[in-house]
Amino acid sequence: MEIIMDIIIATHNKNKVLEMEKALSSIIGEGKVLTAEQAGFSDDVEENGSTFEENALIKARSVRTDGCISIADDSGLCCNALNGAPGIYSARYAGEPCDNAKNNAKLLSNLEGFSDRSAYFVCAIACVLPDGTEFTVRGEAHGTILTELTGDGGFGYDPLFYVPELKKTFAELTREEKHEVSHRGNALRLLKEELSKRL
């Protein structure tokens, strides 16, 4: 079923917008997918939740507008040996400002000496519908953390995150391959399913 409705995503990242647009195009018809900025929101929102879901909801509520669907995601890497760290602090694990190289270096340092290098990526997507109804979906991707960076694609922890079934890191996958197995790809598929039921 096709519903013509605009979607506002609480992000300034145009790549995320393209990804959402592609995933949800069959639902929103001629509706547009807009960044927060395009919809007139420029303020940074304090993500003070204690879970991925709470932070995603905080962001989705911040761009709520009459007649539009508001969406936000929060994602990160969780290592079992580190009790789930870096978790919701993944982007700034090594401090401000966000620095992928420093984050990866800190992760490798903190995992030294651990035999358990299992980890999983999480993506929680929060959605606020025009009537105020809220829901979240959660996608995960499981793998292990290598001892050195491998591959030059992707971003963040992708060069360290190895998927045994594919015998590749996220940084060695094409964008299409990654979307099929990634936490965000899984969450987007669940979001589409949930929106199809609710709209």
Side-chain angles (χ1 to χ4, degrees), residues 84-116:
I88 59 171
Y89 306 106
S90 293
R92 293 166 183 81
Y93 193 38
E96 298 276 3
C98 172
D99 185 309
N100 290 333
K102 287 181 181 174
N103 287 341
N104 282 321
K106 181 174 181 178
L107 180 64
L108 288 174
S109 172
N110 287 349
L111 279 173
E112 266 182 41
F114 283 101
S115 57
D116 180 5

Side-chain angles (χ1 to χ4, degrees), residues 1-141:
M1 183 176 172
E2 193 178 275
I3 305 287
I4 298 175
M5 194 175 289
D6 290 347
I7 292 179
I8 300 169
I9 304 176
T11 184
H12 300 293
N13 184 328
K14 289 192 172 72
N15 287 325
K16 270 191 190 177
V17 171
L18 289 172
E19 202 172 11
M20 289 271 189
E21 206 164 37
K22 193 173 178 182
L24 301 176
S25 60
S26 63
I27 296 175
I28 60 168
E30 293 175 21
K32 296 188 291 293
V33 178
L34 307 167
T35 63
E37 196 173 22
Q38 289 169 328
F41 297 95
S42 55
D43 295 342
D44 280 331
V45 181
E46 187 183 357
E47 297 172 39
N48 52 13
S50 58
T51 65
F52 293 109
E53 283 80 3
E54 284 176 11
N55 282 332
L57 272 169
I58 288 167
K59 289 186 277 189
R61 289 169 185 151
S62 75
V63 296
R64 188 177 170 205
T65 302
D66 287 347
C68 294
I69 298 170
S70 305
I71 289 175
D73 78 320
D74 196 46
S75 54
L77 177 71
C78 303
C79 297
N80 293 313
L82 303 178
N83 297 314
I88 59 171
Y89 306 106
S90 293
R92 293 166 183 81
Y93 193 38
E96 298 276 3
C98 172
D99 185 309
N100 290 333
K102 287 181 181 174
N103 287 341
N104 282 321
K106 181 174 181 178
L107 180 64
L108 288 174
S109 172
N110 287 349
L111 279 173
E112 266 182 41
F114 283 101
S115 57
D116 180 5
R117 299 182 74 87
S118 62
Y120 56 98
F121 271 118
V122 172
C123 175
I125 300 179
C127 183
V128 182
L129 298 177
D131 66 359
T133 302
E134 299 178 342
F135 69 87
T136 62
V137 294
R138 179 185 179 105
E140 294 186 1

Side-chain angles (χ1 to χ4, degrees), residues 135-153:
F135 69 87
T136 62
V137 294
R138 179 185 179 105
E140 294 186 1
H142 293 255
T144 56
I145 303 300
L146 299 181
T147 55
E148 58 183 30
L149 304 176
T150 306
D152 52 12

